Amino acid sequence: MTKINENFLKIPASYLFSDISRKITEYKEQNPNADIIKMGIGDVTMPLPTASVNAIIEATKEQLDSATFRGYGPEQGYDFLRNAIVKNDFNDKNIDLEADEIFVSDGAKSDSGNIGDIFDKENVVALSNPSYPVYIDTNAMAGRAGEVGENGLWSNIVYLNSNAENSFVPELPKTKVDIIYLCYPNNPTGTTLTKDQLKKWVDYARENNSIILFDAAYEAFITEDDVPHSIYEIEGAKQVAIEFRSFSKTAGFTGTRCGYTVVPKALTVKASDGSEVSLNKLWLRRQTTKFNGTPYIVQRGAEAVYSAEGKKEVKALINYYLENAKIIKSAIEEMGLSAYGGINSPYVWVKTPDKMGSWEFFDYLLTEKNIVCTPGVGFGLQGEGYVRFSSFAKKEAVVTAMGRLKK
Ligand code: PLP
């Protein structure tokens, strides 16, 4: 008899954003004229940079001619994009990486989920609470999370609590962990670590032979000097860290799909026979077997993000969302509520008033103000009592929503 991977039965059946959509649909059915402003989901609203679209059009035209047509490409990405990434995102910023340490992909969701393939099931995983749900769900699917308790916590996961009491700077684990997920600027809290704070994690990983999986999907939103753009700004990180990046939020590629993962050649782990194994080689083996590469035309679109025109357009996109975040944050603070993030991030994390639960406040905003946010508890228990506002909306809608809130 066929056996299924029963780990799938242990994870909640529906995804947070499906629950939110269902609530919106139900409300809309009962209130068809309601003008609902969505500030929940983290999808961008501004179109792609013209530079990227033009590059995609040109690359598409190449497909009409057998001399320039492209079939299967290198699974790890074309050299033109790997070279552009390594130059612009790292070498120009004094980070010494090489193109063969960059693995182009269809995005940071797939990579941060799939990376577990190269790690044993017995590893002890630490992740922040709250966090981007993909980390916990993919570990649960792999059987690495153990069993989920009545409190919603998994038996084999070490939770790194992140809340207002510790200024959203989680403490180092008290016990030894093997794999640590860090996401900065953080989804959902919008908060960051300084270089010194991140260095403590790199030092911990070096002392404990752990690996850090550093999700920098929101790197482009960093405005403050002391916030590292890459974990490789920290000395010694190349020996202990893998970094995920994405063109989704940076350049509006949420539908077009492109991201990349950095696996330094200096990153090795001891196998059970004592040999040093290169994670760069393991990930290459994994990707060349299970992934067929990001489409050529999309990679040309991503390459154009690094052109002079592309850089200008991306800067304008990021500033647009950051301006929205500023409007949200100051409106919420004016109302006397505590708001976090929004300075180096498109997300503003808000403490609910009067000790309201996350879903209770979500329902209140939906029904009384026709505003959609994301209930913080959907990102983990420590998110209870918070909601997340996303600045990925049209400015006019943000202004209207904040006006409604203040009334
Ligand atoms: N990592 C974090 C922290 C995210 O919030 C998201 C998307 O919301 C992703 C990764 C996924 O990015 P991509 O669109 O590249 O898959």
Side-chain angles (χ1 to χ4, degrees):
M1 197 179 78
T2 309
K3 289 187 180 157
I4 55 160
N5 176 352
E6 297 212 357
N7 293 316
F8 278 71
L9 306 181
K10 298 179 192 167
I11 52 180
S14 71
Y15 191 60
L16 170 65
F17 293 104
S18 323
D19 290 343
I20 294 175
S21 299
R22 184 179 43 76
K23 282 196 175 243
I24 300 171
T25 309
E26 281 168 12
Y27 181 76
K28 265 255 167 205
E29 274 165 13
Q30 287 154 15
N31 304 275
N33 296 326
D35 172 25
I36 296 175
I37 299 177
K38 293 187 183 166
M39 299 170 73
I41 198 158
D43 196 0
V44 296
T45 48
M46 297 293 277
L48 286 176
T50 315
S52 293
V53 172
N54 286 341
I56 291 171
I57 291 170
E58 285 312 309
T60 307
K61 286 187 193 154
E62 289 175 27
Q63 307 315 304
L64 289 166
D65 184 342
S66 57
T68 48
F69 161 80
R70 306 277 180 142
Y72 288 123
E75 291 88 348
Q76 61 276 31
Y78 283 98
D79 281 346
F80 63 79
L81 180 54
R82 297 174 100 192
N83 288 331
I85 290 170
V86 94
K87 175 178 186 309
N88 289 280
D89 286 347
F90 299 102
N91 297 353
D92 285 357
K93 295 173 180 158
N94 297 322
I95 297 171
D96 180 27
L97 282 171
E98 291 173 15
D100 58 358
E101 297 176 297
I102 308 292
F103 293 82
V104 176
S105 72
D106 66 350
K109 182 182 192 175
S110 327
D111 285 356
S112 59
N114 292 332
I115 198 78
D117 274 12
I118 64 171
F119 296 112
D120 188 83
K121 200 175 132 221
E122 299 305 318
N123 283 300
V124 177
V125 171
L127 46 84
S128 73
N129 185 2
S131 68
Y132 177 52
V134 169
Y135 313 146
I136 184 67
D137 286 357
T138 53
N139 276 288
M141 286 171 183
R144 210 177 283 117
E147 303 299 323
V148 66
E150 273 176 23
N151 57 2
L153 297 177
W154 292 84
S155 55
N156 291 352
I157 297 289
V158 172
Y159 289 94
L160 309 169
N161 290 345
S162 181
N163 47 42
E165 285 68 48
N166 61 15
S167 306
F168 301 95
V169 180
E171 278 180 32
L172 293 172
K174 303 245 178 326
T175 50
K176 190 178 156 2
V177 302
D178 306 306
I179 297 173
I180 305 159
Y181 288 80
L182 295 179
C183 171
Y184 292 101
N186 188 262
N187 178 16
T189 66
T191 57
T192 50
L193 293 186
T194 62
K195 279 187 192 146
D196 284 347
Q197 287 164 340
L198 185 57
K199 183 176 181 305
K200 290 193 179 135
W201 288 93
V202 171
D203 292 346
Y204 172 94
R206 289 174 68 90
E207 281 156 24
N208 292 278
N209 290 322
S210 331
I211 299 281
I212 298 175
L213 302 177
F214 190 75
D215 188 340
Y218 297 94
E219 169 277 331
F221 292 84
I222 294 172
T223 57
E224 292 181 319
D225 285 345
D226 197 29
V227 177
H229 287 249
S230 164
I231 194 165
Y232 305 116
E233 286 178 35
I234 312 296
E235 206 188 323
K238 278 209 277 184
Q239 280 79 30
V240 292
I242 289 174
E243 181 165 301
F244 306 107
R245 293 275 190 111
S246 171
F247 292 95
S248 284
K249 315 296 163 100
T250 311
F253 274 61
T254 51
T256 309
R257 309 301 313 146
C258 194
Y260 67 88
T261 288
V262 185
V263 190
K265 284 179 280 192
L267 183 51
T268 60
V269 169
K270 247 193 189 51
S272 53
D273 66 2
S275 59
E276 286 290 334
V277 176
S278 153
L279 292 194
N280 179 289
K281 285 199 176 130
L282 281 197
W283 186 241
L284 179 67
R285 190 69 180 85
R286 191 267 173 212
Q287 288 298 77
T288 48
T289 303
K290 290 196 181 179
F291 181 57
N292 248 333
T294 306
Y296 168 73
I297 56 175
V298 171
Q299 292 192 52
R300 282 292 185 201
E303 181 195 24
V305 165
Y306 299 108
S307 64
E309 189 53 34
K311 282 182 184 169
K312 220 165 82 192
E313 289 185 89
V314 162
K315 200 158 186 261
L317 282 176
I318 300 290
N319 286 343
Y320 181 88
Y321 295 128
L322 282 174
E323 183 58 34
N324 284 350
K326 207 171 178 179
I327 296 169
I328 298 168
K329 195 169 184 185
S330 54
I332 285 178
E333 283 173 344
E334 263 178 53
M335 290 161 52
L337 300 182
S338 301
Y340 308 91
I343 295 169
N344 302 291
S345 160
Y347 299 128
V348 181
W349 188 241
V350 176
K351 186 98 189 93
T352 61
D354 306 325
K355 297 202 163 68
M356 279 170 105
S358 295
W359 278 108
E360 194 187 348
F361 193 49
F362 169 91
D363 286 336
Y364 167 79
L365 290 179
L366 175 62
T367 56
E368 301 298 320
K369 306 284 181 184
N370 291 173
I371 298 170
V372 177
C373 61
T374 310
V377 69
F379 298 98
L381 284 186
Q382 291 285 313
E384 181 56 288
Y386 293 89
V387 294
R388 188 193 75 176
F389 281 89
S390 160
S391 69
F392 293 126
K394 291 278 183 290
K395 183 173 176 186
E396 301 72 40
V398 170
V399 171
T400 309
M402 292 304 115
R404 283 187 201 167
L405 265 190
K406 284 199 229 166
K407 264 191 198 152

